[in-house]
Amino acid sequence: MIRNPLVFLLLLVTLLGCKTSEPAEPIDVTELTISEIHDAYKSGTFTAQQLTKAYLERIALLDSNTNALTTINPEALDIAKQLDAEFEKTGVLRPLQGIPIIVKDNINTEGMPTTAGSLALADYFPEEDAPIIKKLKQAGAIVLAKSNMAEWAFSPMHSESSTHGTTRNPYNLDYVPAGSSGGTGASVASNFGTAGLGTDTGNSIRGPSSHNALVGFRTTLGLISRTGIVPLYLRNDVVGPMCRTVEDATRVMEVMVGVDPEDPITEHSRGKTYTDYRQFLVKDGLKGARIGVLRELSEHEVDPEIKALFEQALLDLDSLGAEIVDPFDVPGFDTLRQDQWCATFKKDLEHFLATYVKRDTIQTLEDIVRIGTKSEFAKQRLSSQKDHDGRWGDSDVPCGDAYHDIKRIAFRKAMENAMDSLKLDAVVYPSWNNKPAHIDKFQEEYRGDNNQVISPHTGQPAFTVPMGYTSGNLPAGIQFLGRMYAEPVLIKLAYSYEQGTHHRKPPKL
């Protein structure tokens, strides 16, 4: 049975109230892509209502394995019905029309709880959608469910919340799906929805994507609005797609891009974006590309199986037409990467509470600590955040975002100058140098997380793509790092690699 009674109840009510006609053939939702779904809508193979019902039935059958979801949208089928009626009337499909998506439980979604996995926000229902959710809905997407996460997005290691417990990796249930967007990772990998959203402060899109054989886009800081999202460190936070294919991730990302007056950092993207990113889905996009190998992130404390997969990935990149520059060295890299983290959780969270939650009883971090948590890990992190403010480490340089913090600017300039000197299109390294950890040993086995090192601090985009599996059927990913606002380049390279290797396969639930 489903462990979460709320999910079970909503599923039961939704499915019992469903009066959709049955498709001519049962819908196999496994690995369905956005383009395939839209082709089916156009041909009359099935409708949005029928597809949504098929996903809900799959969730009811299989989510007890992973505990990936927290809340089912009780209006999902009604929304699908409206979208079907619209398509029947207009004959035109909006960019994401009838596409069921999974949304991480720290993103404001009207009519659904947004808990960030915490007891303090367990009954917080936002009055309106976050701007990115508005954009997705305007594009025709159906918010199908919210996903479990590491409480307050604290953990890159695992996805445990006070509200819904621990999420498991669908490829091997004894292992973590990483954090903090592990619920999105596990649910999209399990084909509980067509696409998903995660947030990434240091790892939390790319880690779960790597651990769950998904494509994860951490885009340039400033490309997409973060308004209406429970923050961890807003100076780092990015929201982005977690999907089974590069094309689907590109389609979801494309809809969310744009300047948001409520999120001033997006002003930096003005004049640097595209309305059509799908034009960069070029199958032979690796031909003639120059790719650097950052050995600082692929040589030290690397699991032999991950090492073998990465070396094979380099051979694959070469065979697909890329010129491999190995090694790619950045002068002063080890020094530049130091003292980049700043604790801004208290300030950022209290601003969110005042702006959206608006309760006298929950105004400060001290209130959150008073309300408490069921997670020992979250308890330790809350205590740490309460007692520390400012930069971690020895530096006394003032904290700022990637556009104003002199340490971050110096790190980015060093990376991009080194890339320019070698005329590189991108840099690659393993997303993790080690396998996923066992759930019951997640802290002692946590190592090899390369996601935290560069892009969260420099602001640069970094995409992870499946590169194969280690023993135990555990996925691994390769990461492509680009210059600021170089999403077109990364889409081209990641898509070409994906199409040339086809590593993604669904878990055997």
Side-chain angles (χ1 to χ4, degrees):
M1 63 180 291
I2 293 179
R3 297 171 188 162
N4 181 356
L6 179 59
V7 171
F8 178 78
L9 178 61
L10 286 172
L11 272 172
L12 183 63
V13 170
T14 301
L15 291 171
L16 286 176
C18 176
K19 297 180 180 179
T20 62
S21 60
E22 295 298 323
E25 297 289 338
I27 302 172
D28 182 2
V29 299
T30 308
E31 304 298 282
L32 273 179
T33 66
I34 294 171
S35 61
E36 289 170 344
I37 291 168
H38 278 182
D39 286 345
Y41 290 165
K42 292 173 184 176
S43 67
T45 305
F46 54 75
T47 66
Q49 291 178 83
Q50 292 166 344
L51 176 66
T52 301
K53 182 172 180 283
Y55 276 125
L56 291 173
E57 289 173 343
R58 183 175 177 86
I59 291 168
L61 182 66
L62 296 174
D63 189 42
S64 59
N65 291 324
T66 56
N67 193 38
L69 300 177
T70 62
T71 309
I72 300 298
N73 184 357
E75 298 181 359
L77 282 167
D78 288 338
I79 294 167
K81 181 178 180 180
Q82 294 167 19
L83 291 167
D84 284 336
E86 176 189 312
F87 178 54
E88 185 176 355
K89 180 179 179 180
T90 66
V92 177
L93 290 170
R94 289 185 258 168
L96 297 177
Q97 184 149 343
I99 301 302
I101 63 171
I102 308 295
V103 176
K104 186 177 179 179
D105 199 20
N106 61 349
I107 303 172
N108 278 354
T109 311
E110 185 181 3
M112 300 179 71
T114 297
T115 74
S118 70
L119 297 178
L121 298 183
D123 59 350
Y124 165 56
F125 285 72
E127 296 175 356
E128 62 178 337
D129 290 322
I132 59 162
I133 299 299
K134 290 180 181 178
K135 286 187 171 186
L136 290 166
K137 288 182 177 180
Q138 288 165 2
I142 302 167
V143 176
L144 185 65
K146 301 292 284 288
S147 58
N148 197 29
M149 58 180 285
E151 190 164 336
W152 298 115
F154 282 149
S155 178
M157 309 177 197
H158 71 320
S159 292
E160 175 194 24
S161 71
S162 284
T163 53
H164 294 94
T166 299
T167 296
R168 295 177 176 273
N169 191 314
Y171 286 89
N172 190 322
L173 298 175
D174 293 330
Y175 293 81
V176 298
S180 62
S181 310
T184 300
S187 58
V188 175
S190 301
N191 289 279
F192 294 163
T194 311
L197 292 185
T199 61
D200 190 314
T201 303
N203 156 86
S204 299
I205 287 172
R206 294 158 296 147
S209 294
S210 175
H211 278 21
N212 289 278
L214 298 177
V215 173
F217 286 5
R218 180 187 167 97
T219 54
T220 303
L221 185 64
L223 188 77
I224 297 172
S225 166
R226 294 90 43 82
T227 300
I229 300 175
V230 182
L232 178 49
Y233 300 151
L234 193 58
R235 67 197 295 269
N236 281 40
D237 292 348
V238 165
V239 60
M242 299 169 64
C243 298
R244 293 183 292 271
T245 69
V246 174
E247 179 178 342
D248 282 1
T250 301
R251 286 173 176 267
V252 174
M253 182 203 82
E254 181 179 270
V255 167
M256 297 190 291
V257 169
V259 174
D260 172 16
E262 295 183 58
D263 186 1
I265 205 167
T266 61
E267 188 63 36
H268 293 280
S269 72
R270 192 176 296 278
K272 301 171 186 173
T273 64
Y274 296 80
T275 56
D276 175 16
Y277 282 89
R278 279 172 283 171
Q279 65 180 297
F280 304 109
L281 294 166
V282 180
K283 193 168 184 179
D284 62 353
L286 281 164
K287 288 185 178 178
R290 286 175 56 83
I291 296 178
V293 182
L294 189 58
R295 288 293 177 184
E296 282 95 337
L297 298 185
S298 59
E299 288 292 326
H300 308 297
E301 299 183 358
V302 184
D303 182 278
E305 292 184 66
I306 300 290
K307 174 74 171 173
L309 289 177
F310 183 63
E311 295 303 326
Q312 182 58 53
L314 296 180
L315 294 175
D316 292 336
L317 290 168
D318 178 78
S319 68
L320 291 166
E323 184 177 352
I324 306 302
V325 179
D326 186 6
F328 164 63
D329 294 317
V330 180
F333 181 84
D334 286 337
T335 300
L336 288 162
R337 64 184 286 186
Q338 300 300 316
D339 300 336
Q340 291 286 351
W341 287 99
C342 285
T344 61
F345 177 68
K346 178 179 170 65
K347 173 177 68 70
D348 295 338
L349 176 64
E350 290 178 356
H351 180 266
F352 180 90
L353 295 174
T355 304
Y356 300 103
V357 182
K358 299 182 236 183
R359 294 179 186 171
D360 292 341
T361 54
I362 309 175
Q363 299 185 58
T364 67
L365 180 55
E366 287 71 21
D367 290 331
I368 302 297
V369 172
R370 171 180 51 79
I371 292 168
T373 173
K374 295 180 181 179
S375 165
E376 187 60 35
F377 182 89
K379 182 178 180 180
Q380 294 169 3
R381 288 297 174 99
L382 282 169
S383 176
S384 174
Q385 296 296 330
K386 183 170 65 74
D387 298 333
H388 188 91
D389 184 33
R391 192 177 296 273
W392 297 94
D394 296 329
S395 174
D396 58 0
V397 174
C399 293
D401 59 47
Y403 296 93
H404 301 97
D405 187 317
I406 60 174
K407 289 188 70 67
R408 297 189 162 201
I409 293 169
F411 194 5
R412 179 173 67 251
K413 284 185 175 178
M415 292 296 302
E416 292 190 339
N417 287 344
M419 292 175 69
D420 291 345
S421 69
L422 295 171
K423 299 180 179 179
L424 298 183
D425 294 285
V427 177
V428 295
Y429 44 88
S431 296
W432 284 62
N433 282 343
N434 291 83
K435 303 174 187 178
H438 287 85
I439 284 179
D440 58 356
K441 299 178 181 178
F442 72 89
Q443 285 182 287
E444 60 191 273
E445 292 183 357
Y446 171 72
R447 55 186 180 273
D449 176 1
N450 287 327
N451 302 299
Q452 313 254 10
V453 179
I454 306 173
S455 62
H457 313 301
T458 64
Q460 293 169 259
F463 295 179
T464 186
V465 183
M467 71 170 181
Y469 304 81
T470 61
S471 56
N473 194 37
L474 295 168
I478 182 173
Q479 195 151 154
F480 293 80
L481 176 83
R483 295 172 178 80
M484 298 290 276
Y485 298 100
E487 279 76 13
V489 175
L490 295 189
I491 289 169
K492 186 182 294 185
L493 301 179
Y495 182 72
S496 182
Y497 174 75
E498 173 199 58
Q499 294 299 301
T501 57
H502 292 289
H503 286 301
R504 163 72 194 173
K505 63 183 180 182
K508 296 178 180 179
L509 296 175

